[in-house]
Structure formats: C-alpha cells, structure tokens
Amino acid sequence: MSKHTALPESELSLAALRGDCARMAPHWTASVKSDPIPVKPSLINGVTVPPSSARLIDAMSEYGD
C-alpha cells in the first residue's frame, strides 16, 4: 500500500501547481533544434502493419464520436 495520497482537487490550487512548475523549470532542458535531413524518395517504403493491429485500429471509433 502506498504511503502517498493525492490531495483532493479543491486543495490543489493553480498557484501551487505554478509553483511546482517553476521549481522544476531549471531541470527541463530543450534540445537544440536542427533542420530535418531530407530522405531520398527511393528509400521510402510502405508501412507493414500486422493484421491484428489493423483490426484493432479499424474497430476504433473516429475521434469526436
């Protein structure tokens, strides 16, 4: 059993959340952006999807239903 319990939503304020984010900000680093390297069209092949995965995706409803 976990010793940690979540605070009820009413006790977690936006100010507390912003404070947590501000304390974590120095730990977050952004990677250096680089331009994507073009790929020769001859190297682009089709995508192979296992039949079981294709059936799973086909059975999902459209977003927003």
Side-chain angles (χ1 to χ4, degrees), residues 14-40:
L14 180 58
L17 180 59
R18 290 181 70 198
D20 291 343
C21 291
R23 283 190 295 280
M24 287 301 299
H27 300 285
W28 298 333
T29 59
S31 59
V32 176
K33 286 230 172 195
S34 62
D35 292 331
I37 300 170
V39 176
K40 293 182 196 175

Side-chain angles (χ1 to χ4, degrees), residues 6-18 20:
L7 293 173
E9 190 173 341
S10 62
E11 292 183 32
L12 181 60
S13 69
L14 180 58
L17 180 59
R18 290 181 70 198
D20 291 343

Side-chain angles (χ1 to χ4, degrees), residues 1-8:
M1 178 178 233
S2 175
K3 293 181 181 180
H4 303 285
T5 57
L7 293 173

Side-chain angles (χ1 to χ4, degrees), residues 43-54:
L43 295 176
I44 299 174
N45 295 317
V47 176
T48 304
V49 178
S52 59
S53 295

